Amino acid sequence: MNIGEKIKKLRGEKLMTQSELAGTAITRNMLSTIENGTALPSLATLRHIASKLNVPAGYLLADGEEEMIYLKLSQISNIKNAYLSGHFKICRDMCLKCELERDDEINLILAECSLALGIERFNEGYLRHACAYFDEAISTASETIYNTEHISAVSAVYFRYMRRISATLSSDMIDEADTEIFAAISEDFARYAVAFEALEEKNIEVSEHFISKFDDNEPYFLHIRARIDMLYENYAEAYKKLYLILTNPYKIQEPLMYFVFCDLEVCCKEIKDFKGAYEHSNNKIETLQKMLTDN
């Protein structure tokens, strides 16, 4: 791409007219000849154009590898700022539009954004969207030279939890059942999910170990303790803990709410509260339908 082509492309991206870019320093006709490749700008003109386009003058002159270096420098700052500000959707879009899609650093940021968006969609209860983001994170992470073990580990934890909701919620990129999840254990949800899995094997000691760092009123702690009560057939006590989850101030993920409704239905049946069982069954079905929608 020659100097004129670069200038024209950047001007178009910034939605600037030739008159706006030319300003008072040069004429619009002069700018037109530069963009068409029939004239080369002087050093003063080059500096003026670069300043108006907010790029280094060297980028307009660079070629090959040098051009890619300038291109990265011009884009990476905004990408990093969006990521550090938690604007993961904006950051992901910037990474996808970046002309350096094979750059390791850009791909790492893109993978982290996709992972964060997958967790956001999971928490909101849009599980098919979450699956797509998690797979995107795994795929993009595999294209970098960096250690991205935690991305696969965290994604696998969420996939394993979602498969207990529906067998259709699985990864196209990894076998979540065989993926090592140790790198994810530092995260709260991962510890809860491992405790949740342990109770399916009736391994209460392991389950209690993984929830030991949670506060007594946290939903994760209450849900695991309720499930332990259910294993001991203490359904009235389990019901109290489950009901606390519904009434405490913590923000609760939709998938967790689904399992809480499932367990409340069981507890209500066991304590002969059939009206409550019916209500929680309806809540369970409504939550499931929302989570499996493609919207």
Side-chain angles (χ1 to χ4, degrees):
M1 190 181 299
N2 61 38
I3 294 176
E5 290 171 335
K6 288 181 187 177
I7 292 171
K8 186 175 182 179
K9 180 176 182 293
L10 289 169
R11 180 175 61 78
E13 290 174 352
K14 295 179 182 295
L15 304 177
M16 296 176 68
T17 66
Q18 286 185 332
S19 296
E20 288 172 334
L21 179 55
T24 58
I26 58 175
T27 66
R28 187 193 65 79
N29 287 337
M30 174 57 72
L31 177 60
S32 180
T33 60
I34 293 171
E35 289 188 347
N36 291 333
T38 57
L40 290 174
S42 66
L43 182 57
T45 298
L46 185 70
R47 287 174 175 169
H48 165 76
I49 292 172
S51 176
K52 295 276 283 188
L53 292 173
N54 195 28
V55 296
Y59 168 65
L60 299 178
L61 295 171
D63 192 18
E65 291 186 7
E66 288 185 353
E67 181 179 350
M68 299 304 287
I69 291 171
Y70 275 112
L71 188 61
K72 180 175 180 178
L73 288 174
S74 70
Q75 298 183 28
I76 192 65
S77 177
N78 289 336
I79 289 173
K80 286 182 176 179
N81 286 338
Y83 178 77
L84 293 173
S85 300
H87 298 140
F88 300 117
K89 182 66 168 65
I90 294 173
C91 185
R92 172 182 175 271
D93 291 344
M94 292 170 65
C95 289
L96 290 174
K97 292 176 182 177
C98 180
E99 297 176 43
L100 296 163
E101 62 272 2
R102 294 188 179 276
D103 180 83
D104 286 311
E105 189 174 13
I106 299 294
N107 278 342
L108 177 61
I109 295 173
L110 174 57
E112 293 285 6
C113 286
S114 299
L115 181 67
L117 289 168
I119 294 172
E120 283 183 8
R121 298 308 277 169
F122 172 88
N123 291 341
E124 293 165 351
Y126 298 105
L127 301 190
R128 298 201 190 282
H129 290 181
C131 289
Y133 278 126
F134 286 134
D135 272 344
E136 180 180 87
I138 295 166
S139 175
T140 307
S142 69
E143 299 174 6
T144 76
I145 62 171
Y146 297 107
N147 181 354
T148 56
E149 179 184 1
H150 72 285
I151 291 177
S152 294
V154 172
S155 298
V157 168
Y158 281 90
F159 274 122
R160 282 157 64 158
Y161 191 85
M162 287 189 288
R163 278 183 65 83
R164 287 168 170 78
I165 296 172
S166 171
T168 65
L169 300 170
S170 59
S171 174
D172 293 329
M173 300 301 305
I174 59 171
D175 182 345
E176 58 266 19
D178 293 334
T179 301
E180 176 58 59
I181 62 171
F182 179 77
I185 295 302
S186 62
E187 299 195 8
D188 286 351
F189 179 79
R191 291 198 298 275
Y192 156 72
V194 171
F196 187 88
E197 288 182 10
L199 287 184
E200 293 189 344
E201 304 296 327
K202 299 185 178 180
N203 194 331
I204 296 174
E205 183 178 353
V206 169
S207 183
E208 289 179 330
H209 168 74
F210 279 103
I211 64 166
S212 60
K213 293 183 179 180
F214 291 124
D215 292 337
D216 291 355
N217 291 323
E218 287 191 63
Y220 293 153
F221 180 87
L222 290 169
H223 190 216
I224 296 303
R225 293 307 313 178
R227 285 216 154 195
I228 291 173
D229 286 337
M230 292 172 70
L231 283 178
Y232 287 120
E233 299 185 357
N234 295 329
Y235 295 105
E237 287 300 315
Y239 178 88
K240 292 178 183 178
K241 294 181 176 68
L242 293 167
Y243 190 75
L244 280 176
I245 296 175
L246 300 182
T247 58
N248 71 24
Y250 289 90
K251 186 173 178 60
I252 305 169
Q253 301 117 311
E254 287 290 320
L256 173 56
M257 286 300 305
Y258 169 75
F259 284 114
V260 169
F261 289 138
C262 289
D263 294 342
L264 280 167
E265 179 186 4
V266 172
C267 290
C268 284
K269 287 179 179 178
E270 293 294 334
I271 62 177
K272 311 303 182 185
D273 178 8
F274 298 111
K275 179 181 178 182
Y278 177 78
E279 291 175 352
H280 294 307
S281 176
N282 284 339
N283 290 333
K284 174 188 71 176
I285 294 170
E286 289 176 5
T287 303
L288 180 62
Q289 288 175 338
K290 176 194 172 182
M291 292 192 299
L292 298 183
T293 185
D294 290 328
N295 294 333

